[in-house]
Amino acid sequence: MKAVLSSGSAIVFDARPNSEYAIAHIPGSINLDERQLGRFTQNYADKTAAMVLYSNGPFCDLAKSKSDALLAMGYTNVSRYQLGLPVWRILGNAAETNLQGFREIFRARNAVIVDARPRAEYAAGTIPTAQSVIAGEASKAKQDRRLRYLDPNIRIVVFANSARVARGVAEEISRNAYPNSSYFGGTYQDLKRDKFFLERVPSPYFLDGLNH
Protein backbone atom coordinates (compact mmCIF):
# COMPACT_ATOMS: atom_id res chain seq x y z
CA MET A 1 0.00 0.00 0.00
CA LYS A 2 2.81 2.43 0.84
CA ALA A 3 4.49 1.70 -2.50
CA VAL A 4 1.23 2.25 -4.38
CA LEU A 5 0.61 5.55 -2.62
CA SER A 6 4.15 6.87 -3.06
CA SER A 7 4.39 5.88 -6.71
CA GLY A 8 0.85 6.72 -7.75
CA SER A 9 0.70 3.37 -9.53
CA ALA A 10 -2.98 2.93 -8.66
CA ILE A 11 -5.96 5.00 -7.54
CA VAL A 12 -6.70 4.19 -3.89
CA PHE A 13 -10.33 4.30 -2.79
CA ASP A 14 -11.83 4.26 0.70
CA ALA A 15 -15.02 2.19 0.41
CA ARG A 16 -16.51 3.38 3.73
CA PRO A 17 -19.26 6.00 4.19
CA ASN A 18 -18.23 9.64 3.81
CA SER A 19 -18.79 10.33 7.52
CA GLU A 20 -16.17 7.71 8.44
CA TYR A 21 -13.79 8.87 5.73
CA ALA A 22 -13.96 12.46 7.02
CA ILE A 23 -12.88 11.45 10.51
CA ALA A 24 -10.02 9.18 9.44
CA HIS A 25 -8.73 7.73 6.17
CA ILE A 26 -5.49 6.51 4.65
CA PRO A 27 -3.68 9.62 3.36
CA GLY A 28 -3.94 9.93 -0.40
CA SER A 29 -7.09 7.85 -0.71
CA ILE A 30 -10.35 9.01 -2.32
CA ASN A 31 -13.73 8.36 -0.78
CA LEU A 32 -16.01 6.04 -2.72
CA ASP A 33 -19.39 6.10 -1.04
CA GLU A 34 -22.67 5.04 -2.67
CA ARG A 35 -23.31 8.45 -4.25
CA GLN A 36 -19.92 8.52 -5.95
CA LEU A 37 -20.27 4.94 -7.10
CA GLY A 38 -23.37 5.97 -9.04
CA ARG A 39 -21.39 8.35 -11.27
CA PHE A 40 -18.14 6.42 -11.23
CA THR A 41 -17.91 5.81 -14.98
CA GLN A 42 -18.17 9.55 -15.61
CA ASN A 43 -15.27 10.32 -13.33
CA TYR A 44 -13.08 7.32 -14.25
CA ALA A 45 -13.49 6.52 -17.91
CA ASP A 46 -10.39 4.31 -18.22
CA LYS A 47 -11.59 0.84 -17.32
CA THR A 48 -8.05 -0.57 -17.36
CA ALA A 49 -6.74 1.84 -14.70
CA ALA A 50 -5.27 0.18 -11.59
CA MET A 51 -7.48 0.63 -8.53
CA VAL A 52 -7.13 -0.45 -4.89
CA LEU A 53 -10.03 -0.43 -2.44
CA TYR A 54 -9.96 -0.71 1.35
CA SER A 55 -12.46 -0.48 4.20
CA ASN A 56 -12.60 -1.37 7.91
CA GLY A 57 -10.26 -4.34 8.00
CA PRO A 58 -10.12 -8.04 7.15
CA PHE A 59 -13.71 -8.77 8.19
CA CYS A 60 -15.42 -5.75 6.62
CA ASP A 61 -17.12 -6.51 3.31
CA LEU A 62 -17.46 -2.94 2.01
CA ALA A 63 -14.26 -3.09 -0.04
CA LYS A 64 -15.20 -6.49 -1.45
CA SER A 65 -18.75 -5.53 -2.38
CA LYS A 66 -17.65 -2.32 -4.09
CA SER A 67 -14.78 -4.10 -5.84
CA ASP A 68 -17.31 -6.60 -7.17
CA ALA A 69 -19.50 -3.71 -8.31
CA LEU A 70 -16.60 -2.14 -10.23
CA LEU A 71 -15.76 -5.47 -11.87
CA ALA A 72 -19.41 -5.79 -12.92
CA MET A 73 -19.16 -2.31 -14.46
CA GLY A 74 -16.28 -3.49 -16.64
CA TYR A 75 -13.22 -2.33 -14.68
CA THR A 76 -10.49 -4.93 -15.10
CA ASN A 77 -7.66 -3.97 -12.71
CA VAL A 78 -9.27 -3.84 -9.27
CA SER A 79 -7.52 -4.99 -6.07
CA ARG A 80 -8.26 -4.85 -2.35
CA TYR A 81 -6.07 -3.83 0.57
CA GLN A 82 -7.67 -6.37 2.84
CA LEU A 83 -5.93 -5.22 6.04
CA GLY A 84 -7.88 -1.98 5.82
CA LEU A 85 -7.62 1.16 7.90
CA PRO A 86 -7.47 -0.52 11.36
CA VAL A 87 -4.38 -2.61 10.58
CA TRP A 88 -2.79 0.29 8.68
CA ARG A 89 -3.00 2.24 11.94
CA ILE A 90 -1.88 -0.62 14.21
CA LEU A 91 1.28 -0.87 12.08
CA GLY A 92 2.17 2.69 13.14
CA ASN A 93 0.76 4.69 10.25
CA ALA A 94 -1.34 7.75 11.01
CA ALA A 95 -4.67 8.37 9.31
CA GLU A 96 -5.72 11.72 7.89
CA THR A 97 -8.69 13.79 9.10
CA ASN A 98 -10.30 16.41 6.87
CA LEU A 99 -11.99 19.64 7.95
CA GLN A 100 -15.44 18.07 8.19
CA GLY A 101 -14.07 15.27 10.34
CA PHE A 102 -12.09 17.59 12.62
CA ARG A 103 -15.19 19.70 13.18
CA GLU A 104 -17.21 16.61 14.11
CA ILE A 105 -14.48 15.34 16.45
CA PHE A 106 -14.26 18.70 18.22
CA ARG A 107 -18.01 18.96 18.70
CA ALA A 108 -18.31 15.39 19.98
CA ARG A 109 -15.69 16.07 22.69
CA ASN A 110 -14.57 12.45 22.50
CA ALA A 111 -10.94 12.88 21.44
CA VAL A 112 -7.65 14.33 22.59
CA ILE A 113 -6.58 17.23 20.39
CA VAL A 114 -2.86 17.82 20.00
CA ASP A 115 -1.27 21.11 18.89
CA ALA A 116 2.08 20.35 17.21
CA ARG A 117 2.96 23.98 16.42
CA PRO A 118 5.95 25.68 18.05
CA ARG A 119 5.40 26.13 21.78
CA ALA A 120 5.29 29.93 21.63
CA GLU A 121 2.42 29.79 19.15
CA TYR A 122 0.58 27.30 21.33
CA ALA A 123 1.03 29.54 24.38
CA ALA A 124 -0.33 32.54 22.45
CA GLY A 125 -3.61 30.82 21.58
CA THR A 126 -4.93 27.43 20.56
CA ILE A 127 -8.01 25.22 20.36
CA PRO A 128 -9.59 24.83 23.81
CA THR A 129 -8.26 21.78 25.73
CA ALA A 130 -5.52 21.12 23.13
CA GLN A 131 -2.34 19.53 24.47
CA SER A 132 1.05 20.67 23.17
CA VAL A 133 3.20 17.87 21.75
CA ILE A 134 5.87 18.91 19.27
CA ALA A 135 8.04 16.73 17.03
CA GLY A 136 10.26 14.37 19.02
CA GLU A 137 8.16 14.60 22.19
CA ALA A 138 5.70 11.71 21.84
CA SER A 139 7.69 9.35 24.04
CA LYS A 140 8.11 12.00 26.74
CA ALA A 141 4.44 12.99 26.52
CA LYS A 142 3.47 9.37 27.10
CA GLN A 143 5.34 9.51 30.42
CA ASP A 144 3.96 12.85 31.66
CA ARG A 145 0.40 14.05 32.17
CA ARG A 146 -0.21 14.88 28.49
CA LEU A 147 -0.69 11.30 27.29
CA ARG A 148 0.20 9.06 30.24
CA TYR A 149 -3.28 8.35 31.57
CA LEU A 150 -5.07 7.88 28.27
CA ASP A 151 -6.91 4.76 27.19
CA PRO A 152 -4.73 3.16 24.46
CA ASN A 153 -7.74 3.17 22.12
CA ILE A 154 -8.65 6.82 22.57
CA ARG A 155 -8.93 8.96 19.45
CA ILE A 156 -6.13 11.51 19.06
CA VAL A 157 -6.05 14.14 16.32
CA VAL A 158 -3.03 16.36 15.65
CA PHE A 159 -2.86 19.72 13.90
CA ALA A 160 0.05 22.03 13.08
CA ASN A 161 1.05 24.76 10.65
CA SER A 162 1.47 22.11 7.95
CA ALA A 163 0.07 18.66 7.27
CA ARG A 164 3.63 17.32 7.05
CA VAL A 165 4.49 18.32 10.62
CA ALA A 166 1.12 17.17 11.96
CA ARG A 167 1.51 13.80 10.26
CA GLY A 168 4.99 13.30 11.70
CA VAL A 169 3.78 13.93 15.26
CA ALA A 170 0.67 11.78 14.77
CA GLU A 171 2.82 8.87 13.61
CA GLU A 172 5.15 9.33 16.59
CA ILE A 173 2.13 9.16 18.89
CA SER A 174 0.76 6.13 17.05
CA ARG A 175 4.04 4.27 17.50
CA ASN A 176 3.98 5.10 21.20
CA ALA A 177 0.94 2.88 21.84
CA TYR A 178 -1.87 5.13 20.62
CA PRO A 179 -2.77 3.71 17.19
CA ASN A 180 -6.07 5.59 16.93
CA SER A 181 -4.17 8.73 15.93
CA SER A 182 -4.78 10.95 12.95
CA TYR A 183 -3.64 14.32 11.67
CA PHE A 184 -5.47 17.25 10.14
CA GLY A 185 -4.56 17.53 6.48
CA GLY A 186 -4.61 21.34 6.48
CA THR A 187 -3.21 24.07 8.72
CA TYR A 188 -4.22 25.74 11.98
CA GLN A 189 -5.25 28.79 9.97
CA ASP A 190 -7.67 26.59 8.01
CA LEU A 191 -9.25 25.50 11.30
CA LYS A 192 -9.50 29.08 12.54
CA ARG A 193 -11.15 30.24 9.32
CA ASP A 194 -13.91 27.66 9.77
CA LYS A 195 -14.89 29.37 13.06
CA PHE A 196 -16.17 26.29 14.90
CA PHE A 197 -14.21 27.16 18.04
CA LEU A 198 -13.02 30.22 19.95
CA GLU A 199 -9.26 30.40 20.26
CA ARG A 200 -8.08 30.47 23.87
CA VAL A 201 -4.79 31.00 25.67
CA PRO A 202 -4.03 27.69 27.44
CA SER A 203 -4.29 27.75 31.21
CA PRO A 204 -1.17 27.48 33.40
CA TYR A 205 -2.06 23.80 33.92
CA PHE A 206 -1.52 23.05 30.23
CA LEU A 207 1.72 25.04 30.15
CA ASP A 208 3.22 23.75 33.39
CA GLY A 209 6.42 21.80 32.87
CA LEU A 210 6.66 22.47 29.13
CA ASN A 211 9.81 23.96 27.60
CA HIS A 212 9.18 27.10 25.58
Side-chain angles (χ1 to χ4, degrees):
M1 177 59 89
K2 286 183 174 180
V4 166
L5 290 166
S6 63
S7 66
S9 58
I11 307 167
V12 178
F13 292 105
D14 183 324
R16 301 172 306 142
N18 178 262
S19 58
E20 295 182 34
Y21 174 87
I23 289 174
H25 57 269
I26 292 177
S29 64
I30 300 168
N31 188 222
L32 180 59
D33 64 10
E34 294 300 332
R35 291 170 298 174
Q36 291 155 316
L37 189 60
R39 55 178 182 270
F40 195 85
T41 56
Q42 301 172 34
N43 297 328
Y44 302 95
D46 182 4
K47 294 194 173 182
T48 66
M51 300 176 180
V52 178
L53 280 70
Y54 73 89
S55 54
N56 278 323
F59 305 107
C60 176
D61 65 356
L62 284 172
K64 184 180 186 306
S65 62
K66 289 185 178 176
S67 295
D68 290 344
L70 293 180
L71 290 170
M73 292 162 62
Y75 292 91
T76 60
N77 194 0
V78 181
S79 304
R80 284 181 288 131
Y81 175 58
Q82 192 64 15
L83 298 180
L85 181 63
V87 180
W88 167 268
R89 301 176 92 163
I90 287 171
L91 293 174
N93 304 294
E96 181 177 357
T97 298
N98 65 22
L99 183 59
Q100 173 192 339
F102 198 109
R103 194 187 306 122
E104 291 176 10
I105 289 168
F106 176 80
R107 289 173 177 167
R109 311 283 184 185
N110 61 357
V112 173
I113 296 176
V114 169
D115 186 337
R117 297 177 300 150
R119 198 85 74 209
E121 294 182 36
Y122 170 76
T126 188
I127 293 176
T129 74
Q131 295 282 359
S132 176
V133 181
I134 59 177
E137 279 193 343
S139 180
K140 179 182 177 183
K142 184 184 174 185
Q143 302 303 318
D144 62 32
R145 58 171 173 73
R146 287 173 291 174
L147 302 179
R148 182 177 180 180
Y149 300 107
L150 299 182
D151 184 310
N153 297 310
I154 195 167
R155 185 184 305 282
I156 298 175
V157 58
V158 182
F159 69 87
N161 288 327
S162 73
R164 179 186 62 80
V165 171
R167 180 173 185 169
V169 172
E171 290 185 342
E172 281 184 41
I173 292 172
S174 178
R175 291 166 186 160
N176 275 273
Y178 298 104
N180 197 10
S181 299
S182 65
Y183 68 94
F184 175 55
T187 68
Y188 182 57
Q189 291 303 315
D190 295 329
L191 296 173
K192 286 181 67 174
R193 276 193 292 269
D194 202 56
K195 298 181 179 179
F196 62 88
F197 67 93
L198 293 176
E199 183 179 68
R200 293 181 186 172
V201 173
S203 71
Y205 171 80
F206 285 95
L207 293 169
D208 184 43
L210 300 182
N211 296 322
H212 292 271

